[in-house]
Amino acid sequence: MNFLALAALVAVACQPAHALWPQPTSVETGSTTLKLSPVFTIAVSGLGVPNDVWDAVFRTEAALNKDKLGRLVVGRGASDASSFSKAKTLSKLTLSLEKGAKWTSITSEAQKAPEDRDEAYHLTIPSDGAAATLTANSTLGLYRGLTTFGQFWYEHSGTTYTVDAPVKIQDAPAYPYRGFMLDTARNFFPVADIKRTLDAMSMVKLNQFHWHIVDSQSFPLQIPGFTDLAAKGAYDASKVYTANDVKDIVSYAGARGIDVMVEIDTPGHTAIIAEAHPEFIACPGATPWATYANEPPAGQLRFADADVTKYIGDLFRAVSKLFPSTMFSTGGDELNTNCYDIDEPTQATLNSTGRTLEQALDDFTKSTHKVLQDSGKTPVVWEEMVLDHNVTLSADTKVIVWISSANVKAVAESGHKLIHGASDYFYLDCGHGAWVGDFPTGNSWCDPFKSWQLSYTFDPVANLTADEAKLVLGGQHLLWAEQSGPSNLDDTVWPRAASSAELFWTGPGGNVSTALSRLHDVAYRMRQRGINAIALQPEWCALRPGACDLTA
């Protein structure tokens, strides 16, 4: 091979990958420059188009005008300028539903059960300036296609353009549940921070916001009929989520193709309820706390008490009215039996009813879950409710694996649909050191830090049979907020959480090296939109894909 041929081969090999995230199921692109017209518009074909579809169109048009992202190559696109004079101009993208499909809101489609969501779409962008087209069977699919369309465009010297025309994409997710969990109880996050997080989620096609809204440390949720919980359990009067706040967040999420699943963790992680109802809580404030709880303060529901069971059932019913999602997480993790061993009222109740603690837990679970099912909700629990406790769960109960990926097989063998969230791959708070006091040499329990590369290489069906693999709904990254708040939310989460977005949209087996250049693009575009994603490498590396690999 002569030198020129070798140089040409190397040049092709070093070209950055198409900056789409998550990578579509099927994508064909060319190498022709195509400009976006200054009067570019997105048209919607059909009657009765829902308002949130129009809102999505307007947001997409605004982003195309405001992103002004330079292409991540040396010179940031300066070398592309010579092709602008000969480039055709795209003036229009037309959205339409497939024949027979009906117009419904993006929100209503996003709030369906994960298994019922249709996010597939078909996008074409000709290179000759003819109108681009986006079609789907649902408005949710159209929304996903709009997100992809927006990732093609860069700006240089006042020109918005792509170098990848023509484009043909046929796309659909590998898994229906692609989420992110945020804990707002350890530290409080204002509504604006949650909305910004939802914006970032939508950019990478995540579709499930798991809101761990309350815990032992604070109860910031104002629930109609139960307002004393927040009045006495919030950190202060400014750190609460009102019913209107919840409605606002749910609506904002839905318009961005995201469902909001609330979690009211019971019967553990409930010490804060003692502030309003001390009679409902076992071992409140017991010390040393590490003997009676996984985190301070100690205190858990006296679930053997019929009055407590009824109260939680009524609470669940009231919370269900605030959240239209089909799913409701009741937690069930980290139940500390030492707490009940020293709690005289619990022991007296167990003795008088002739039940064991496990039998009482079964009764509590059946009763409170029935309330949810009667409210049209599917219960979601943490893995202990399947692996550690002998409780009755409905067949449709979904299970989140969190302790270890090694437990996935056992959960799958239970026959329940499962959601990946194992701490050894998807916990964003690991590796920041111990947060408990007087422990100068301590590390976080789930050390080390979980890089985006680690989660990206996770195999959702490892060691599962073909039938067990069908139980995998998808997965999520999680941020427990012992050491996080508004000041470090964005840089802790992004762009790391985007790695699972592609894993569960495109499927496992992606190449970390080629993914990196595309993930750079995600981070840079996020920063253009006000999301403070961290840098993954020095910019020198970002502009030269592969140049900073150890083998380069």
Side-chain angles (χ1 to χ4, degrees), residues 189-536:
F189 294 84
V191 170
D193 292 303
I194 294 175
K195 286 184 172 180
R196 191 176 64 257
T197 299
L198 293 167
D199 286 335
M201 291 174 64
S202 72
M203 289 179 67
V204 292
K205 300 185 177 70
L206 290 176
N207 67 356
Q208 194 68 53
F209 180 52
H210 174 180
W211 194 356
H212 187 91
I213 195 168
V214 300
D215 210 291
S216 287
Q217 292 83 5
S218 78
F219 201 109
L221 177 62
Q222 288 185 352
I223 305 167
F226 299 82
T227 54
D228 57 339
L229 293 173
K232 296 184 178 182
Y235 285 127
D236 62 56
S238 69
K239 294 178 179 178
V240 296
Y241 302 106
T242 66
N244 283 336
D245 289 334
V246 170
K247 183 178 180 180
D248 186 24
I249 288 169
V250 168
S251 175
Y252 193 90
R256 286 154 182 78
I258 300 168
D259 180 46
V260 180
M261 176 180 72
V262 69
E263 179 178 347
I264 306 293
D265 201 353
T266 60
H269 293 272
T270 49
I272 195 65
I273 292 176
E275 298 297 323
H277 294 280
E279 71 277 15
F280 289 169
I281 299 299
C283 71
T287 56
W289 65 261
T291 300
Y292 302 106
N294 285 60
E295 287 190 5
Q300 301 177 143
L301 285 174
R302 287 179 173 142
F303 58 81
D305 187 328
D307 290 339
V308 174
T309 298
K310 182 181 183 305
Y311 177 84
I312 295 300
D314 292 342
L315 178 70
F316 281 0
R317 186 179 294 107
V319 175
S320 292
K321 294 176 182 178
L322 299 176
F323 294 88
S325 175
T326 64
M327 298 178 292
F328 188 118
S329 175
T330 64
D333 61 313
E334 297 185 326
L335 195 65
N336 190 304
T337 58
N338 293 333
C339 174
Y340 298 108
D341 290 341
I342 67 167
D343 188 62
E344 292 182 2
T346 294
Q347 293 303 314
T349 300
L350 293 176
N351 290 333
S352 66
T353 58
R355 294 178 298 170
T356 65
L357 190 67
E358 279 293 302
Q359 288 171 333
L361 179 61
D362 185 37
D363 290 340
F364 172 84
T365 303
K366 286 188 293 187
S367 178
T368 55
H369 279 202
K370 185 177 186 304
V371 170
L372 291 178
Q373 291 165 323
D374 290 345
S375 300
K377 307 296 185 185
T378 299
V380 179
V381 297
W382 298 107
E383 65 181 75
E384 291 100 313
M385 294 298 279
V386 169
L387 302 182
D388 296 346
H389 299 292
N390 186 24
V391 297
T392 304
L393 299 173
S394 62
D396 64 344
T397 299
K398 296 173 172 62
V399 181
I400 304 175
V401 177
W402 72 273
I403 296 174
S404 171
S405 59
N407 297 339
V408 171
K409 178 71 172 177
V411 171
E413 288 174 344
S414 76
H416 290 281
K417 291 184 178 179
L418 65 92
I419 297 163
H420 289 293
S423 62
D424 49 334
Y425 282 89
F426 300 110
Y427 270 31
L428 294 164
D429 51 301
C430 303
H432 293 291
W435 58 269
V436 294
D438 193 24
F439 192 25
T441 61
N443 294 315
S444 61
W445 73 271
C446 56
D447 270 2
F449 180 90
K450 311 306 177 190
S451 69
W452 75 265
Q453 294 98 323
L454 180 68
S455 52
Y456 190 77
T457 58
F458 180 72
D459 183 354
V461 297
N463 302 317
L464 301 182
T465 66
D467 286 340
E468 290 167 349
K470 295 175 183 177
L471 298 172
V472 177
L473 283 174
Q476 60 186 22
H477 267 90
L478 307 90
L479 179 59
W480 299 103
E482 288 88 349
Q483 294 179 294
S484 293
S487 62
N488 70 340
L489 172 61
D490 291 9
D491 56 287
T492 301
V493 177
W494 305 110
R496 272 196 294 164
S499 60
S500 63
E502 176 155 299
L503 169 68
F504 293 111
W505 179 283
T506 310
N511 183 293
V512 169
S513 182
T514 57
L516 177 57
S517 62
R518 293 185 295 109
L519 193 57
H520 275 306
D521 208 272
V522 171
Y524 275 71
R525 198 175 292 275
M526 281 185 170
R527 290 193 288 272
Q528 293 294 101
R529 298 187 186 182
I531 299 154
N532 294 316
I534 64 165
L536 296 171

